[in-house]
Amino acid sequence: MEKILILNGPNLNMLGMREPEIYGHDTLDDVEVLCREKGRALDFKIDFRQSNHEGELVEWIQEARGLFRGIVINAAAYTHTSVAIHDALKMLDMPIIEVHISNPATREEFRHFSYIGLLATAVIVGEGVQGYVQALEKMVELLPS
Ligand code: DQA
């Protein structure tokens, strides 16, 4: 079974109550359930994590080498600021799928640039929490069978 790491950055633990007009009413636990269901259907073993700390995300990405076949990442605000997460991802030899619940390109200017997008294999934005499900479907296409 292929192991896929799904990483979530800061404030995504507040999904459901955080700006629901932008991010919707599903909680991060709901997103995890969606990912686990899709993972089961696609024969993926899902490791689903969230952190508010840049260094913790960097360490998880470093540890992913050799353990996972692919990574799905919503780095949240760190998307637009973190060279450290960019550098950690650069060391991975696996598909990297960047996900955003909203479409940052249609929001404030400071969300338009993505350090993750510079090296992502695929990017899914503006599909709500279903973007995570779509990312797992995309992962099937990207992984050699
Ligand atoms: C987000 C978009 C980011 O700009 C923002 O900082 C987030 C969530 C999204 O999923 O739409 O925290 O990554």
Side-chain angles (χ1 to χ4, degrees), residues 9-12 18 22-23 74-80 99-104 107-108 110-111 126 132:
N11 299 306
L12 290 171
R18 173 191 183 200
I22 295 175
Y23 299 112
N74 182 351
Y78 288 142
T79 304
H80 317 298
V99 171
H100 297 286
I101 297 166
S102 67
N103 182 355
R107 299 178 61 194
E108 303 97 320
F110 63 83
R111 296 182 203 277
Y132 287 79

Side-chain angles (χ1 to χ4, degrees), residues 73-90:
I73 181 165
N74 182 351
Y78 288 142
T79 304
H80 317 298
T81 63
S82 181
V83 177
I85 291 176
H86 171 97
D87 286 348
L89 288 169
K90 206 163 189 181

Side-chain angles (χ1 to χ4, degrees), residues 37-49:
E37 281 171 357
K38 195 66 194 176
R40 216 169 298 126
L42 297 174
D43 237 5
F44 284 151
K45 191 166 170 6
I46 301 295
D47 192 330
F48 189 95
R49 305 185 199 176

Side-chain angles (χ1 to χ4, degrees), residues 34-132:
L34 279 179
C35 289
R36 292 202 179 284
E37 281 171 357
K38 195 66 194 176
R40 216 169 298 126
L42 297 174
D43 237 5
F44 284 151
K45 191 166 170 6
I46 301 295
D47 192 330
F48 189 95
R49 305 185 199 176
Q50 187 274 335
S51 179
N52 291 322
H53 303 278
E54 185 177 21
E56 188 163 40
L57 292 161
V58 167
E59 283 171 7
W60 287 341
I61 294 166
Q62 290 177 359
E63 290 162 10
R65 293 176 70 212
L67 282 182
F68 294 94
R69 291 297 308 281
I71 183 165
V72 173
I73 181 165
N74 182 351
Y78 288 142
T79 304
H80 317 298
T81 63
S82 181
V83 177
I85 291 176
H86 171 97
D87 286 348
L89 288 169
K90 206 163 189 181
M91 286 185 272
L92 292 183
D93 185 16
M94 64 181 77
I96 297 165
I97 305 186
E98 176 182 14
V99 171
H100 297 286
I101 297 166
S102 67
N103 182 355
T106 61
R107 299 178 61 194
E108 303 97 320
E109 176 116 32
F110 63 83
R111 296 182 203 277
H112 292 186
F113 178 75
S114 167
Y115 282 100
I116 318 287
L118 296 177
L119 28 87
T121 320
V123 180
I124 296 169
V125 299
E127 300 289 343
V129 297
Q130 285 298 324
Y132 287 79

